[in-house]
Amino acid sequence: MGELDSAFIQDIEHRPNLKSTEPVGDGIPTIDLSALTIADTQKLASEIGLACQEWGFFQIINHGVPLKLQRKVEKVAKEFFELPSEEKRKVKRNEVNPLGYYDCEHTKNVRDWKELFDFLVKDGIVIPASPEPDDKGVRTITNQWPQYPPEFREVFQEYAKQVEKLAFKLLELIALSLGLPENRFSGYFNGHTTSIRINYYPPCPFPHLALGVGRHKDPGVLTILAQDDVAGLQVKRKSDGEWITVKPTPNAYIVNVGDVFQVWSNEKYQSVEHRVVVNTVKERMSIPFFFHPGTHVMVKPVEELLNGENRPKYKEYNWGKFFVNRSRSDFKKLEVENVQIEHLRL
Ligand code: OGA
Ligand code: NI
């Protein structure tokens, strides 16, 4: 079986305990969005609010994205990853373009056992040229689409539209759950920097040493993730810090709040650590939609939620600069820890 390249090896304290990767039935809450059409929006918002507070994660069912589209997306994604490497590398990410295919991702400077494909929901966004606060330069980033499978682009653009609608709906429900007007956050998404990623985790002969994605928190507002029927996602349970494997539920999406919501809500809703374990036999695929604000947005705790007892816990920061700073590690392994939301805590 050979040896594992040391770039993939997790420190001992971050290696998974493979004896406890059975999915836990009563794990993250499940929320049925079909209630939306029955007008009981406030009740739904409270359920979501409780899930955000207790877990930072929940699953949604009856979310309104057509199942036929979901199946198409899975099919073309799989066809893409099954192409020969030379074909996939034609749309490879590089130092100039952070979008497209990649097979050398690092999380916290350890290499992830996976391949991925990234694209923007709104193509051609203008981002800061560098994370330096004084650098006013900008550059435009654009999607790279593969030639095969031929329907890849069309299918994913339709998927992006559908999940974007769902994301705005969830944003409204979360605003309501915080006692805010439902459109409180909508204005932050003009020219939003949302992206969709397809994660492909090949079987791994060393699942006790490597991870599909190392422990991390998502930096954005919300993540809406589709996963296939192979378990692998683990969430760090807030109540006791245990790593809990999320049980795949057919046709459900997994939603989690990211760092931006942690700041907006002044930590009422915390962005929770998660990671992906791999296995020796089955490949796994997941498709996260990373809902991100516009680059101009200054992120800070929402004033309406603050008072004498609840003082702001975070410094204001610019989303565009934070986003670019975090993406620095996308192309190469850094020698130092990348910026984390904790660094902005007051
Ligand atoms: C991610 C992530 C989880 C998964 O890509 O940020 O957490 O199940 N993925 O693939
Ligand atoms: Ni994540």
Side-chain angles (χ1 to χ4, degrees):
M1 138 166 115
E3 254 191 55
L4 177 62
D5 180 340
S6 64
F8 289 104
I9 300 181
Q10 296 284 333
D11 283 345
I12 291 183
E13 76 259 42
H14 301 306
R15 293 181 194 165
N17 173 4
L18 295 178
K19 289 194 195 78
S20 67
T21 52
E22 269 307 292
V24 174
D26 57 351
I28 62 172
T30 298
I31 290 169
D32 185 348
L33 288 188
S34 58
L36 266 185
T37 52
I38 312 167
D40 207 353
T41 305
Q42 195 58 50
K43 182 163 161 276
L44 199 55
S46 316
E47 268 180 56
I48 290 179
L50 199 62
C52 289
Q53 247 178 306
E54 291 183 347
W55 283 88
F57 266 85
F58 53 93
Q59 307 208 62
I60 50 176
I61 53 169
N62 299 316
H63 44 66
V65 177
L67 290 185
K68 212 168 130 197
L69 178 62
Q70 190 67 40
R71 294 290 96 81
K72 269 202 226 163
V73 157
E74 289 159 7
K75 178 171 167 283
V76 293
K78 191 157 185 285
E79 282 170 9
F80 172 75
F81 286 105
E82 282 171 352
L83 291 172
S85 302
E86 312 89 75
E87 193 59 41
K88 291 186 273 192
R89 292 204 175 127
K90 288 183 184 162
V91 287
K92 194 169 184 247
R93 179 199 290 175
N94 56 48
E95 293 214 46
V96 182
N97 194 336
L99 301 160
Y101 171 74
Y102 203 48
D103 59 1
C104 192
E105 179 93 336
H106 290 76
T107 302
K108 305 246 172 15
N109 295 329
V110 180
R111 188 163 166 196
D112 296 324
W113 191 272
K114 71 164 178 180
E115 297 173 42
L116 60 84
F117 184 91
D118 282 324
F119 70 94
L120 294 167
V121 168
K122 283 186 181 297
D123 199 4
I125 55 168
V126 178
I127 63 168
S130 82
E132 305 313 322
D134 298 329
D135 182 355
K136 300 277 179 274
V138 293
R139 65 193 188 100
T140 304
I141 52 171
T142 45
N143 289 332
Q144 308 196 67
W145 296 102
Q147 194 181 351
Y148 303 106
E151 65 279 34
F152 186 96
R153 175 180 184 157
E154 193 190 320
V155 168
F156 270 100
Q157 283 178 330
E158 177 58 24
Y159 183 71
K161 246 196 267 170
Q162 295 285 337
V163 184
E164 185 184 30
K165 251 199 294 184
L166 173 63
F168 278 107
K169 196 75 228 167
L170 288 168
L171 189 71
E172 288 178 9
L173 287 163
I174 298 179
L176 288 174
S177 78
L178 289 165
L180 299 167
E182 64 176 10
N183 64 358
R184 177 61 180 83
F185 299 109
S186 325
Y188 299 134
F189 291 84
N190 292 329
H192 63 82
T193 53
T194 300
S195 62
I196 291 183
R197 168 168 287 182
I198 316 165
N199 288 308
Y200 177 80
Y201 306 99
C204 174
F206 309 95
H208 52 298
L209 299 176
L211 289 168
V213 186
R215 74 194 192 287
H216 68 282
K217 298 178 184 184
D218 294 344
V221 176
L222 288 175
T223 302
I224 303 175
L225 176 126
Q227 63 169 343
D228 64 14
D229 56 358
V230 180
L233 172 63
Q234 294 194 323
V235 173
K236 197 169 184 177
R237 184 161 58 193
K238 278 181 85 177
S239 59
D240 59 4
E242 282 294 310
W243 286 102
I244 300 298
T245 304
V246 176
K247 186 180 172 137
T249 303
N251 307 322
Y253 291 137
I254 294 157
V255 181
N256 62 286
V257 295
D259 293 339
V260 172
F261 247 124
Q262 172 163 322
V263 173
W264 279 345
S265 70
N266 208 30
E267 278 184 7
K268 183 165 184 192
Y269 299 162
Q270 285 166 358
S271 163
V272 164
E273 255 187 341
H274 51 285
R275 67 183 186 186
V276 171
V277 295
V278 281
N279 71 77
T280 55
V281 284
K282 275 193 190 155
E283 60 183 19
R284 174 174 183 266
M285 252 185 2
S286 73
I287 309 174
F289 172 104
F290 296 117
F291 199 29
H292 290 168
T295 48
H296 61 283
V297 170
M298 297 303 293
V299 182
K300 59 177 181 185
V302 169
E303 267 157 36
E304 303 91 295
L305 301 175
L306 300 174
N307 55 47
E309 273 92 68
N310 188 20
R311 300 203 171 272
K313 295 191 169 87
Y314 291 88
K315 283 191 246 191
E316 179 177 76
Y317 65 96
N318 171 254
W319 168 257
K321 290 284 180 189
F322 188 83
F323 176 68
V324 168
N325 200 344
R326 281 290 286 254
S327 319
R328 264 186 329 154
S329 63
D330 281 359
F331 193 66
K332 60 173 183 276
K333 184 174 168 195
L334 301 174
E335 295 312 317
V336 292
E337 193 192 7
N338 208 342
V339 64
Q340 303 293 330
I341 201 69
E342 287 71 30
H343 303 155
L344 297 165
R345 207 170 187 284
L346 287 169

